[in-house]
Amino acid sequence: MSKYLVTGGAGFIGANYVLRSLAGKHGSVIDRMVVVDALTYAGNLESLASVHNDPRFEFIKADIQDAESMEVLMAKEQPDYVVHFAAESHVDRSISGPKAFIDTNVVGTQVLLDGCRKHGIKRFLMVSTDEVYGSLGPTGYFVETSPIKPSSPYSASKAGSDLLALAYHHTYGLDVVVTRCSNNYGPLQFPEKLIPLMIINALAGEALPVYGDGMQVRDWIHVWDHNDAVQRVLEKGRAGEVYNIGCQNEQPNINIVKRILSHLEKPESLIRYVTDRPGHDRRYAIDYTKIRKELGWNPQQTFEEGLSSTIDWYLNNRDWWERVRSGAYREYYTNQYGQRLEG
Ligand code: NAD
Ligand code: TYD
């Protein structure tokens, strides 16, 4: 039996992980996959609609900070693997309100780690981020041994959870692996992040807000490549180790915005340079030699193909993002589950 508990599985990366895992795309046997998600503004159960009737799948609405609920869940499910995606994930929101980030990312992770210790799970995979390393100058790359130097409340809270997971390995011998991935794009991403926001604003003929000079650099990776790497680390990574995940695809923000406009045949006059994000990290770039050499993982999607298929996904799934924009997606849970799973 292989029983998975996936936290944050109604969010962008988690939902892609669940859908592709159950579709056999990660090549792994899944006997049971339970998703726990609090359905915050970023959690969208509609993203998982196609697997609701899969007998291996179950959805539980709960907050990972709620130790009692997590205890009931772990005692009942006795998962082999916990894949931990749940987090407050948006840097801008962390600047306007850091508390939720500490609560979910730090405290929520501690609650899960305690549950994993108690119930003797086989492995806990902590989905962390390259943002824990802080910002790079014009040259150089993050390696797994780079100093942890987070800049935003988001990245500081992720560094807290990432280091806490490693501490549970070091102190208690819990089997923990940590992945630190660069910026993801792809289907089902909440349209507050750069790429979906720009696609949707361009489609609506609205202004495209570019922070500062638009020359901040991120190493963009397709979400399916990220999740393939997560699965590889879960199955083959060494306990207590950190694995960077990246794509060797450094792009200044403004180039991405211009590519999106060009793909959609929209004018560059829609671009608006706006006040920069406070403390904005200038450049992220990932050295992923370790996962490549040790686990034989390599990204498969080029940015050209990945960005173009992502834009097409938003074009073909207007219903999904219009319901996100209007807030209607939040009714889905009640319609789908009624009172059945509440509390
Ligand atoms: P997301 O915001 O789209 O999804 C987060 C999910 O977690 C949502 O479904 C939300 O409802 C759920 N959640 C939030 N608080 C919760 C709580 N207290 N209890 C239970 N569920 C809760 O985020 P994402 O972009 O899918 O990111 C997933 C993970 O990957 C996060 O840990 C993030 O830090 C990490 N990560 C993201 C990126 C990226 O580019 N998006 C890159 C590297 C790492
Ligand atoms: P984002 O998608 O928020 O991810 P992160 O902050 O975790 O890297 O932002 C990616 C880059 O795009 C980042 O440099 C900030 C910039 N950005 C804009 O210029 N305008 C926007 O409206 C947003 C959301 C982001």
Side-chain angles (χ1 to χ4, degrees):
M1 285 288 275
S2 63
K3 297 195 285 181
Y4 286 67
L5 179 62
V6 179
T7 74
F12 161 50
I13 305 176
N16 276 287
Y17 178 82
V18 171
L19 295 176
R20 285 176 59 83
S21 293
L22 290 173
K25 303 281 189 197
H26 298 142
S28 313
V29 177
I30 314 278
D31 294 304
R32 184 155 171 77
M33 186 164 268
V34 176
V35 167
V36 59
D37 196 298
L39 297 183
T40 67
Y41 79 93
N44 185 349
L45 206 49
E46 289 185 1
S47 302
L48 296 173
S50 64
V51 295
H52 280 312
N53 294 325
D54 187 316
R56 298 167 297 170
F57 171 81
E58 187 166 342
F59 178 77
I60 306 288
K61 181 175 185 277
D63 192 319
I64 56 166
Q65 296 166 68
D66 178 352
E68 224 170 281
S69 298
M70 290 307 108
E71 168 56 24
V72 170
L73 182 60
M74 293 238 189
K76 174 169 173 273
E77 292 298 334
Q78 299 287 331
D80 298 306
Y81 305 111
V82 174
V83 187
H84 179 33
F85 292 101
E88 287 292 337
S89 70
H90 192 40
V91 173
D92 292 322
R93 285 179 190 256
S94 82
I95 293 168
S96 47
K99 185 174 184 307
F101 288 73
I102 303 307
D103 292 346
T104 286
N105 300 0
V106 182
V107 178
T109 301
Q110 169 255 313
V111 167
L112 289 171
L113 287 164
D114 280 342
C116 291
R117 269 186 77 202
K118 180 167 175 198
H119 291 283
I121 63 135
K122 285 189 187 147
R123 177 156 274 190
F124 181 89
L125 187 141
M126 171 72 214
V127 180
S128 186
T129 165
D130 64 346
E131 300 193 27
V132 300
Y133 298 121
S135 187
L136 287 167
T139 57
Y141 294 90
F142 297 134
V143 290
E144 287 81 356
T145 49
S146 296
I148 302 295
K149 224 171 145 228
S151 328
S152 70
Y154 163 69
S155 52
S157 69
K158 289 297 291 186
S161 53
D162 168 321
L163 296 177
L164 196 59
L166 291 171
Y168 270 62
H169 172 73
H170 188 80
T171 309
Y172 306 115
L174 185 69
D175 189 321
V176 165
V177 279
V178 174
T179 57
R180 294 183 185 147
C181 187
S182 55
N183 286 61
N184 285 217
Y185 67 95
L188 300 169
Q189 187 167 30
F190 194 87
E192 64 183 353
K193 304 279 167 62
L194 180 76
I195 289 182
L197 182 85
M198 296 299 164
I199 296 172
I200 288 171
N201 282 17
L203 285 172
E206 289 170 11
L208 273 52
V210 172
Y211 298 162
D213 63 2
M215 290 306 290
Q216 302 81 7
V217 171
R218 302 290 183 262
D219 174 1
W220 292 90
I221 183 171
H222 194 277
V223 62
W224 296 352
D225 277 328
H226 177 192
N227 283 333
D228 285 345
V230 163
Q231 193 63 21
R232 190 73 63 98
V233 172
L234 184 72
E235 291 178 6
K236 303 220 157 59
R238 283 181 294 135
E241 292 292 317
V242 174
Y243 293 89
N244 280 352
I245 303 170
C247 200
Q248 234 178 359
N249 175 39
E250 288 183 52
Q251 301 284 344
N253 294 336
I254 190 66
N255 285 11
I256 297 182
V257 172
K258 287 184 176 170
R259 274 182 195 236
I260 291 170
L261 287 169
S262 148
H263 186 104
L264 293 172
E265 297 178 347
K266 299 284 182 181
E268 289 191 5
S269 56
L270 286 174
I271 295 172
R272 294 280 183 288
Y273 288 94
V274 299
T275 311
D276 207 352
R277 171 189 279 172
H280 200 168
D281 284 339
R282 192 68 180 167
R283 175 171 169 264
Y284 304 146
I286 286 267
D287 180 335
Y288 59 93
T289 308
K290 180 172 173 180
I291 187 171
R292 186 169 58 75
K293 285 206 169 148
E294 238 184 63
L295 307 183
W297 174 87
N298 270 302
Q300 299 300 313
Q301 300 232 27
T302 65
F303 192 55
E304 286 67 28
E305 290 161 0
L307 183 63
S308 139
S309 65
T310 299
I311 297 173
D312 289 343
W313 187 87
Y314 282 88
L315 279 169
N316 295 329
N317 290 274
R318 192 174 262 276
D319 212 39
W320 182 90
W321 56 263
E322 279 183 344
R323 288 173 61 74
V324 169
R325 274 196 137 189
S326 73
Y329 74 106
R330 306 200 78 165
E331 293 156 16
Y332 180 85
Y333 175 77
T334 322
N335 294 339
Q336 174 78 13
Y337 289 99
Q339 296 304 306
R340 194 153 59 92
L341 294 174
E342 286 286 3

